[in-house]
Amino acid sequence: MAWIKVVEPEQATGELKTQYDAAVDRAGKVFNILKVQSLNPLALEASMQMYHATMYGPSGLSRAEREMMATVVSWANRCFY
């Protein structure tokens, strides 16, 4: 398994803390998928903007269909989290 340096939530400051606080507000915790981007808070912010546009923006797919597609892709990639 690869090892990636991350900033844990209790160590976060500035923009990263803002992003982590928003994650806790949304999901109750900071998932690892966000932590692996913690060394570059601007990239994390851009990633979250893309996620929100993809999952909540205008689309011919329902929210449930989008979640189902994300789940299937994660399963196909053997990415279980």
Side-chain angles (χ1 to χ4, degrees), residues 21-80:
D21 288 347
V24 171
D25 288 346
R26 279 190 310 273
K29 66 184 268 185
V30 179
F31 284 96
N32 288 335
I33 191 73
L34 301 182
K35 289 181 188 179
V36 298
Q37 300 174 78
S38 64
L39 297 182
N40 189 336
L42 292 177
L44 173 55
E45 180 181 13
S47 174
M48 290 308 301
Q49 288 175 350
M50 183 178 76
Y51 169 77
H52 282 111
T54 302
M55 296 306 281
Y56 299 103
S59 173
L61 300 174
S62 70
R63 175 83 169 104
E65 290 169 325
R66 295 179 218 198
E67 284 291 342
M68 182 173 49
M69 287 178 60
T71 300
V72 170
V73 169
S74 291
W75 178 85
N77 288 324
R78 297 187 177 154
C79 179
F80 306 105

